[in-house]
């Protein structure tokens, strides 16, 4: 995974040569959450880093099993190169920024959902679409943190424009079990064949990890509720033709007129 490392270094070098005032680096929660030593009750915040050796020797089991999603997330046979690459890229950017005197601020989004900005469905939203279109018959026994794409964009603006901003900023609204996700979807859009059974009911229910988004809140960011982010995701699927609109759909939830 040398490409993310080289790319991060090149950006910092170019910024230093151009005397850029501040660089905002987009990292990933993959650079933060992969740590086998973290206790279940430990709050995930900006001080957390993924363990590189753990990334190299584990498979990302929290993804859905759809082949297209696996390819998009760069999941290899036995190693989590996605999280490994995100971690080394952020570390390289931070180290080079210190060496070259570049003011670097890092935004760390979790799973980004909400309105699509492109015509295709991205990897982060694909599992939501599969819960709606019948491709997923069950949901994984897994937990995931979510954030609205509009909040991610605003976070970048805030850390760039706020003189006192520094270091890393975790961009997350809340963490949910996949069972909670399908429950919200079923409540908002009951017309779709949303799965009701867990793929692995024999194991204890996975617990969402605790997280802190206080640093971004302190900058004035008001996070969009995850329920609204999921609603906007589905409406975007419909508007872009990825999901048929049921003839009997009655959109009476509180966000339908937004």
């Amino acid at each position: 995974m040398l490409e993310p490392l080289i790319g991060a270094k090149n950006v910092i070098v170019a910024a230093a040569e151009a005397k850029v005032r501040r660089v905002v680096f987009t990292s990933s929660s993959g650079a933060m959450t992969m740590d086998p030593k973290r206790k279940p009750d430990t709050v995930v915040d900006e001080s957390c880093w993924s363990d590189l050796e753990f990334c190299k020797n584990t498979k990302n089991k929290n993804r859905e099993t759809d082949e297209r999603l696996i390819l998009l997330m760069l999941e290899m046979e036995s190693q989590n190169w996605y999280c490994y690459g995100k971690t080394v890229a952020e570390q390289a950017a931070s180290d080079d920024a210190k060496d070259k005197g570049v003011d670097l601020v890092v935004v760390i989004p979790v799973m980004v959902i909400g309105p699509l900005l492109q015509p295709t469905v991205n990897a982060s939203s694909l599992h939501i679409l599969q819960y709606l279109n019948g491709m997923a018959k069950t949901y994984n026994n897994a937990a995931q943190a979510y954030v609205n794409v509009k909040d991610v964009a605003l976070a970048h603006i805030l850390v760039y424009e706020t003189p006192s901003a520094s270091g890393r900023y975790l961009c997350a609204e809340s963490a949910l079990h996949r069972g909670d996700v399908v429950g919200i979807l079923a409540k908002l859009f009951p017309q779709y064949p949303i799965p009701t059974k867990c793929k692995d009911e024999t194991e204890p229910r996975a617990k969402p990890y605790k997280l802190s988004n206080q640093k971004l809140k302190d900058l004035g960011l008001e996070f969009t509720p995850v329920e609204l982010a999921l609603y906007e995701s589905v409406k975007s699927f419909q508007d872009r033709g990825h999901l048929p609109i049921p003839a009997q759909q009655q959109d009476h939830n509180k966000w339908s007129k937004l």
Side-chain angles (χ1 to χ4, degrees), residues 95-158:
D95 291 343
D96 281 11
K98 292 178 183 178
D99 292 341
K100 297 185 179 301
V102 174
D103 181 11
L104 180 73
V105 185
V106 181
V107 176
I108 308 173
V110 292
M111 187 74 83
V112 181
I113 59 174
L116 297 175
L117 303 180
Q118 69 289 329
T120 57
V121 179
N122 59 325
S124 297
S125 298
L126 185 57
H127 68 288
I128 299 172
L129 178 60
Q130 291 177 334
Y131 289 153
L132 296 157
N133 64 13
M135 289 188 65
K137 306 303 180 183
T138 59
Y139 58 86
N140 281 359
N141 182 19
Q144 179 68 53
Y146 293 91
V147 67
N148 192 304
V149 64
K150 292 183 286 188
D151 294 342
V152 177
L154 182 56
H156 283 73
I157 295 172
L158 285 172

Side-chain angles (χ1 to χ4, degrees), residues 179-242:
D180 297 324
V181 173
V182 296
I184 294 171
L185 292 173
K187 183 178 179 180
L188 294 175
F189 299 95
Q191 301 85 359
Y192 291 108
I194 299 169
T196 58
K197 292 188 63 176
C198 182
K199 184 178 181 180
D200 187 4
E201 295 182 329
T202 61
E203 295 294 328
R205 181 182 171 97
K207 294 182 179 180
Y209 53 82
K210 300 177 181 179
L211 54 83
S212 173
N213 56 14
Q214 192 59 49
K215 280 191 70 177
L216 275 175
K217 285 184 175 180
D218 289 343
L219 293 185
L221 181 57
E222 297 181 3
F223 284 92
T224 304
V226 68
E227 293 86 354
L228 177 53
L230 288 168
Y231 172 81
E232 291 182 339
S233 294
V234 178
K235 297 298 289 184
S236 186
F237 296 153
Q238 293 177 339
D239 293 341
R240 292 184 178 271
H242 299 299

Side-chain angles (χ1 to χ4, degrees), residues 22 24-29 32 45-47 90 104-110 152 155-156 158-160 162-172 212-221 223:
R22 170 171 288 176
V24 179
F25 184 89
T26 307
S27 186
S28 165
S29 57
M32 177 180 285
D45 61 15
E46 290 78 6
S47 67
E90 184 186 340
L104 180 73
V105 185
V106 181
V107 176
I108 308 173
V110 292
V152 177
H156 283 73
L158 285 172
V159 302
Y160 178 75
T162 305
S164 61
S166 63
R168 308 171 87 200
Y169 287 83
L170 175 58
C171 191
S212 173
N213 56 14
Q214 192 59 49
K215 280 191 70 177
L216 275 175
K217 285 184 175 180
D218 289 343
L219 293 185
L221 181 57
F223 284 92

